[in-house]
């Protein structure tokens, strides 16, 4: 018995697949209780991947193979889960997780993550603390960093990395020179800065942030990562060739479009400008490429049908769905189209989320009939976000400091922020941590083999 209980989840799921007894979860999009129930099931499934609250584990992180960014994203999904459904089961764990991972400079750059943390990774934690402020999520004690201040610190450190040395501006993918990808400028990192600027502008009613959002948009467009003929967003390009257009990696990811669309909607909502309305609408028109032309079901066009999506990419649909919901609220002229996309996706989710030992584990693709024998944090998060965003009209729009948000920010922000420059000593330290982690992994597989 002991052996069976200790088997990793993956093996148990495989066994379950052989037994294969599927019971569908019914999702009636016209019934709030039904939607809330489905969200409850998916949120519970998501949290089965979390053990950071157990002795010896690290609060706020999901276990390997999930990168740190995805934890930041998952806590954001759960803040919205609470806001949309009223179920506060996970709120304490979300709060303690967000506070545990702030890092010594209170800006989501914890030393443990320095071997892999890019601008995009930091941004995902920034989105989540921004949401905590906008949802009036329970404020930390006064001796702890506050949600809005954390969001501003993420913005300040990111903005301070704006880099004119190549490509005529933009953020690099990586923060640290010693990490692979420092020589790449990508859309997701700049999307992160754009969104933080847009949301901070609206929340704090400070138009300096609008300038930053414009600068980021203008650069993304001028470098060709945004094609304004089609409103497609491409992945990025290399600094060695100054982000030459021929060098652009032309993958399109759901999350880039989602983040730029919602950022535009925030700016429209804050400024009332017809330019931001037009941009929001143009991106909304362009995202039809992420919905199957026969069924209307959402999918990751660059990798899903070929079954080549990696662990990160399996979570991207969650990000698109979340930001479709916010767009629908902040730019109300988009609501009908967005609601229709979400509603058409739901039957795909209902037929996919019938796997695993619990019969409600979600697969990666929602285009196939039945579960596709995959499982994971990204799959659960994506299903959760689509379903809970059907409820956007049942709850207040994101608050601002003037309409109900209560989170204090950094006063006297002067830009620049508190940038920690890693020394070689820190780098060696990070290397040692990685080695310890590797040894522990080897240790545990040895134990399983035994
Ligand atoms: C850790 O979180 C899980 C999932 O929410 C919960 O079931 C469990 O009781 C928690 N354990 C501790 C020690 O808090
Ligand atoms: C960093 O890693 C160490 C070693 O695993 C752990 O004890 C500590 O809690 C981690 N800190 C954070 C902020 O993740
Ligand atoms: C962005 O580009 C537009 C159009 O060229 C220009 O009017 C605007 O001033 C630019 N904004 C910033 C902040 O550079
Ligand atoms: C872009 O340039 C880099 C650096 O020269 C090179 O490694 C990469 O293969 C190029 N990619 C494309 C799509 O041209
Ligand atoms: C901004 O969003 C709110 C909440 O949905 C909405 O009532 C308001 O009309 C929006 N503003 C604009 C300019 O559309
Ligand atoms: C926000 O939270 C504060 C502090 O808990 C509370 O006083 C206030 O009423 C809340 N605002 C809204 C709109 O719920
Ligand atoms: C902000 O600036 C004002 C005026 O310069 C100063 O009195 C105040 O102490 C500053 N607050 C902080 C937190 O630095
Ligand atoms: C507005 O935001 C900018 C950019 O962070 C900052 O420099 C400025 O001090 C802020 N203004 C006010 C009044 O808070």
């Amino acid at each position: 018995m002991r052996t069976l209980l200790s088997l990793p989840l993956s093996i148990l799921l495989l066994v379950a697949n052989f037994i294969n007894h599927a019971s569908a979860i019914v999702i009636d999009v016209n019934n709030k209780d039904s939607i809330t129930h489905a969200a409850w099931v998916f949120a519970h499934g998501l949290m089965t991947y979390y053990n950071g609250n157990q002795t010896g584990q690290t609060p706020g992180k999901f276990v390997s193979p999930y990168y740190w960014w995805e934890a930041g994203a998952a806590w954001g999904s759960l803040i919205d889960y609470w806001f949309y459904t009223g179920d506060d089961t996970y709120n304490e764990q979300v709060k303690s997780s967000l506070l545990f991972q702030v890092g010594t400079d209170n800006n989501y750059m914890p030393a443990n993550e320095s071997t892999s943390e890019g601008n995009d990774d930091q941004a995902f934690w920034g989105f989540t603390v921004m949401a905590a402020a906008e949802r009036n999520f329970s404020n930390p004690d006064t001796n702890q960093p506050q949600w809005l201040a954390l969001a501003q610190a993420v913005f300040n450190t990111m903005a301070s990395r704006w880099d004119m040395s190549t490509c005529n501006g933009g953020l690099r993918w990586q923060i640290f020179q010693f990490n692979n990808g420092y020589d790449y400028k990508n859309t997701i990192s700049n999307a992160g800065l754009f969104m933080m600027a847009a949301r901070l502008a609206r929340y704090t009613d400070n138009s300096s942030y609008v300038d930053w959002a414009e600068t980021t948009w203008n650069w993304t467009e001028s470098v060709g990562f945004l094609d304004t003929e089609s409103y497609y967003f491409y992945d990025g390009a290399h600094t060695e060739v100054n982000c030459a257009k021929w060098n652009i990696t032309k993958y399109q990811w759901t999350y880039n479009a989602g983040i730029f669309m919602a950022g535009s909607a925030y700016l429209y909502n804050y400024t009332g400008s017809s330019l931001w309305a037009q941009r929001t609408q143009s991106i909304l028109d362009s995202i039809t490429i992420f919905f199957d032309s026969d069924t209307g079901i959402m999918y990751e066009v660059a990798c899903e049908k070929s079954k080549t999506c990696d662990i990160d990419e399996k979570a991207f649909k969650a990000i698109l769905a979340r930001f479709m919901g916010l767009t629908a609220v902040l730019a109300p002229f988009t609501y009908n189209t967005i609601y229709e996309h979400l509603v058409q996706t739901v039957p795909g989710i209902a037929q996919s989320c019938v796997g695993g030992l619990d019969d409600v584990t979600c697969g990666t693709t929602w285009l196939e009939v039945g579960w596709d024998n995959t499982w994971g944090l990204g799959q659960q998060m994506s299903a959760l976000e689509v379903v809970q965003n059907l409820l956007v009209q049942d709850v207040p729009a994101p608050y601002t400091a003037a309409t109900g948000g209560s989170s204090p920010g950094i006063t006297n922000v002067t830009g620049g922020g508190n940038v920690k420059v890693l020394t070689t000593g820190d780098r060696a330290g990070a290397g040692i941590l990685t080695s310890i982690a590797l040894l522990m992994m080897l240790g545990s597989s040895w134990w399983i083999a035994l």
Side-chain angles (χ1 to χ4, degrees):
M1 266 334 275
R2 182 182 154 82
T3 334
L4 185 62
L5 284 174
S6 321
L7 278 175
L9 181 66
S10 54
I11 296 181
L12 285 179
L13 285 169
L14 275 176
V15 171
N17 182 30
F18 286 122
I19 302 169
N20 198 6
H21 45 131
S23 72
I25 159 167
V26 177
I27 310 170
D28 176 357
V29 297
N30 297 312
N31 179 327
K32 187 175 174 183
D33 289 342
S34 173
I35 295 169
T36 300
H37 175 74
W40 175 78
V41 169
F42 298 150
H44 181 266
L46 184 158
M47 283 301 277
T48 60
Y49 294 94
Y50 184 61
N51 68 2
N53 61 344
Q54 290 166 11
T55 313
Q57 304 293 330
T58 305
K61 290 178 63 150
F62 284 76
V63 286
S64 173
Y66 304 108
Y67 279 113
W68 185 72
W69 80 271
E70 199 168 337
W75 304 130
S77 297
L78 290 174
I79 287 177
D80 278 358
Y81 169 71
W82 154 71
F83 201 72
Y84 289 140
T85 68
D87 177 7
D88 64 4
T89 305
Y90 305 116
N91 285 19
E92 274 311 313
Q93 290 196 62
V94 171
K95 186 174 180 176
S96 56
S97 294
L98 290 175
L99 292 173
F100 196 84
Q101 291 294 328
V102 293
T104 47
D105 292 341
N106 295 334
N107 58 7
Y108 289 107
M109 293 180 63
N112 283 359
E113 307 307 323
S114 57
T115 50
S116 68
E117 183 174 351
N119 280 298
D120 49 354
D121 304 76
Q122 189 187 16
F124 275 98
W125 288 82
F127 299 163
T128 295
V129 282
M130 192 70 233
E134 291 172 345
R135 301 307 198 186
N136 204 30
F137 189 62
S138 157
N139 288 317
D141 293 342
T142 47
N143 63 349
Q144 298 202 283
Q146 303 297 310
W147 307 132
L148 177 61
L150 286 163
Q152 288 173 314
V154 168
F155 170 83
N156 290 340
T157 46
M158 288 182 71
S160 74
R161 296 184 201 117
W162 189 261
D163 167 50
M164 293 303 295
S165 71
T166 57
C167 310
N168 200 29
L171 289 184
R172 293 170 183 269
W173 176 21
Q174 290 300 314
I175 297 172
F176 303 115
Q177 207 162 348
F178 55 78
N179 285 331
N180 285 336
Y182 187 73
D183 62 347
Y184 193 67
K185 289 193 176 175
N186 63 355
T187 300
I188 186 61
S189 297
N190 289 280
L193 180 62
F194 175 72
M195 166 153 283
M196 291 307 294
R199 293 170 80 159
L200 285 167
R202 179 177 172 276
Y203 188 93
T204 65
D205 189 13
N206 174 344
S207 64
S208 303
Y209 291 115
V210 177
D211 295 339
W212 264 105
E214 268 191 31
T215 299
T216 313
W217 177 284
N218 283 3
W219 178 80
T220 305
E221 181 181 324
S222 70
V223 79
F225 295 177
L226 161 63
D227 174 357
T228 45
E229 296 281 302
S230 56
Y231 277 83
Y232 289 162
F233 288 89
Y234 301 123
D235 189 76
H238 284 83
T239 54
E240 297 94 315
V241 296
N242 258 323
C243 302
K245 290 207 167 56
W246 55 261
N247 191 250
I248 292 175
T249 308
K250 290 215 160 175
Y251 288 127
Q252 291 186 62
W253 304 112
T254 47
Y255 73 165
N256 281 328
I259 294 168
F260 267 105
M261 180 169 72
S264 300
Y266 271 96
L267 290 164
Y268 161 70
N269 196 269
Y270 175 55
T271 64
S273 124
S274 58
L275 179 61
W276 288 114
Q278 174 261 308
R279 287 170 171 171
T280 306
Q281 181 65 48
S282 296
I283 301 174
L284 179 58
D285 294 342
S286 81
I287 65 170
T288 52
I289 54 153
F290 300 120
F291 296 84
D292 181 71
S293 54
D294 292 334
T295 58
I297 293 171
M298 187 192 292
Y299 74 112
E300 195 62 52
V301 71
C303 60
E304 195 169 304
K305 286 185 176 171
S306 57
K307 299 201 182 291
T308 52
C309 300
D310 68 18
I311 302 268
D312 288 340
E313 291 154 11
K314 286 172 182 157
F316 290 177
K317 285 181 291 189
I319 310 305
L320 175 58
R322 178 192 303 173
F323 291 126
M324 285 170 72
L326 284 168
T327 302
V329 168
L330 294 166
F333 59 88
T334 64
Y335 181 83
N336 288 344
T337 307
I338 287 178
Y339 183 72
E340 191 61 25
H341 277 313
L342 294 176
V343 163
Q344 287 185 347
T345 298
V346 165
I349 292 177
Q351 68 175 13
S352 165
C353 296
V354 295
L357 260 193
D358 58 6
D359 288 343
V360 287
T361 295
C362 300
T364 304
T365 187
W366 304 326
L367 301 176
E368 293 171 8
V369 176
W371 182 48
D372 65 3
N373 296 325
T374 69
W375 58 89
L377 176 58
Q379 288 91 326
Q380 291 303 130
M381 207 196 314
S382 297
L384 173 63
E385 286 281 12
V386 170
V387 166
Q388 70 186 8
N389 274 283
L390 294 167
L391 299 174
V392 288
Q393 282 199 333
D394 295 5
V395 299
Y399 298 124
T400 67
T403 64
S406 62
S407 183
I410 300 176
T411 44
N412 303 349
V413 176
T414 53
N418 191 3
V419 189
K420 182 170 194 270
V421 179
L422 276 201
T423 62
T424 32
D426 290 331
R427 190 182 170 184
I432 289 166
L433 285 176
T434 311
S435 315
I436 292 173
L438 262 174
L439 277 175
M440 282 168 60
M441 263 173 60
L442 286 174
S444 58
S445 36
W446 166 80
W447 183 83
I448 289 167
L450 234 147

